[in-house]
Amino acid sequence: SPAGPDSRVRNRIRQARLVRVWGRRFDRASDGHLRVVKVTEGEYLTLVDCLLVEAAQGNIDGKLGAMATRLGFAAAQLTVEPHEGSAQVTVTIRNGDPLADRVDSTVTTLAASPDVPVRIGRDALGNPATIALLGGHHLVAGRTGAGKSKAFMLLLIGAVQRGAEVHVVDLKFGIEARPIAPRCASVADTRDAARELVARVRVEMERRGRLMAAEGWSDWGQSPDPSPLVLGVDEAAEIKRDPATWADLLEIVRLGRATWVVAILAAQRPTGDTLPSAVTGQLGSRWLGPLTPAESEVALLGASAVVAPHQLPERPGRAVLVRGGRGVEIQTDLLTDEAVRSWAAAAPLVVAD
């Protein structure tokens, strides 16, 4: 073909061959339950889109181990994800670790609109994993060594980059927040300071709400000064020891979204005792590294995910990112200390009109 090796015709022929080859393998491996319709081969992942001949997900779930053996893979290499509202499923065959290569976070000093998503890392297909700052409140959870602090800091830096006024509660003597403190409006490192700060944020939220009601606005973006206000709370469970501060935080989580008051919470043990459904029900995103105990994952995933946090490789920054009812495995970009220091020392941002 004069159109070259990547012409549409050649790609269709190539796809037809892949479907034929994988179709024969899957027909034998699944006892005829799957019909291959599309194959996407990558260096680390092979995605095989199939139609269920018998529209019962349980038929496939119960056969994954036997299918893997017949295909010549370990059972852990195969996962199946149903397509909502159809009889189609995608079988993912993991040929290696697509997220093993290190990617450094490129912390930029350019201001952006609050509507621009914050990049947090990448998924197994190499697509950017992003979080919408104004899409609700956000949770970063994982045990020690999971990379939780870096992910928490990436979100706070992203908030500053989008013109937000950022306040941080860090009851570990301010150690975690110290690198970005020069670009934050305030940092509370004692219980008394935390109580005062969270109360101030609630007062500002209520002021915005009253102004919105008076002006007939449905969203703070309609105001003449539509800047987000972000409250970052490291180890949110510690706040619960002070009933007054905890009550203010719950009210911020309950009512803050329309007023563009956003809470970013970090927690090591986000069980129902520490983060009730009143909090988790308002979360727009959840960054979930390996958790202890694994039972807490059930409430936090809030969706079907191909992999659960306790199944993740022991690699800092590996997490399940849950957004909009779907959980995907991601690798968080590496945020180096040098990058943070350079960013914190930069001139204050001027948000363009």
Side-chain angles (χ1 to χ4, degrees), residues 134-320:
L134 300 178
H137 305 289
H138 310 286
L139 173 68
V140 178
R143 62 173 179 253
T144 301
K148 168 173 55 69
S149 296
K150 295 294 187 182
F152 181 60
M153 196 169 293
L154 270 171
L155 276 174
L156 294 178
I157 289 174
V160 173
Q161 296 299 94
R162 280 141 189 81
E165 177 185 325
V166 175
H167 301 267
V168 182
V169 174
D170 178 9
L171 296 182
K172 291 184 286 190
F173 310 105
I175 295 172
E176 296 288 347
R178 185 176 299 153
I180 63 170
R183 305 291 290 277
C184 296
S186 66
V187 175
D189 57 5
T190 67
R191 295 192 185 281
D192 289 342
R195 186 184 308 115
E196 180 183 342
L197 171 57
V198 176
R200 285 205 318 269
V201 171
R202 177 177 177 173
V203 168
E204 170 60 15
M205 177 194 71
E206 292 172 345
R207 183 193 72 81
R208 292 185 177 196
R210 286 192 295 270
L211 182 58
M212 288 171 60
E215 298 291 340
W217 301 332
S218 60
D219 186 273
W220 186 247
Q222 298 172 267
S223 73
D225 181 24
S227 58
L229 191 156
V230 172
L231 174 63
V233 181
D234 194 16
E235 295 303 338
E238 293 296 316
I239 296 293
K240 199 169 185 180
R241 300 188 181 189
D242 186 331
T245 309
W246 181 246
D248 285 339
L249 181 60
L250 288 181
E251 199 68 2
I252 291 168
V253 169
R254 188 173 72 88
L255 299 175
R257 184 170 180 176
T259 63
W260 286 19
V261 176
V262 177
I264 300 176
L265 310 175
Q268 193 172 109
R269 299 176 63 89
T271 60
D273 295 336
T274 56
L275 291 178
S277 58
V279 174
T280 56
Q282 298 291 334
L283 295 175
S285 76
R286 303 165 172 89
W287 183 101
L288 305 176
L291 298 169
T292 305
E295 290 78 12
S296 60
E297 296 172 355
V298 177
L300 291 172
L301 281 173
S304 60
V306 175
V307 63
H310 70 271
Q311 298 171 318
L312 295 170
E314 290 292 334
R315 184 183 297 275
R318 189 64 59 89
V320 174

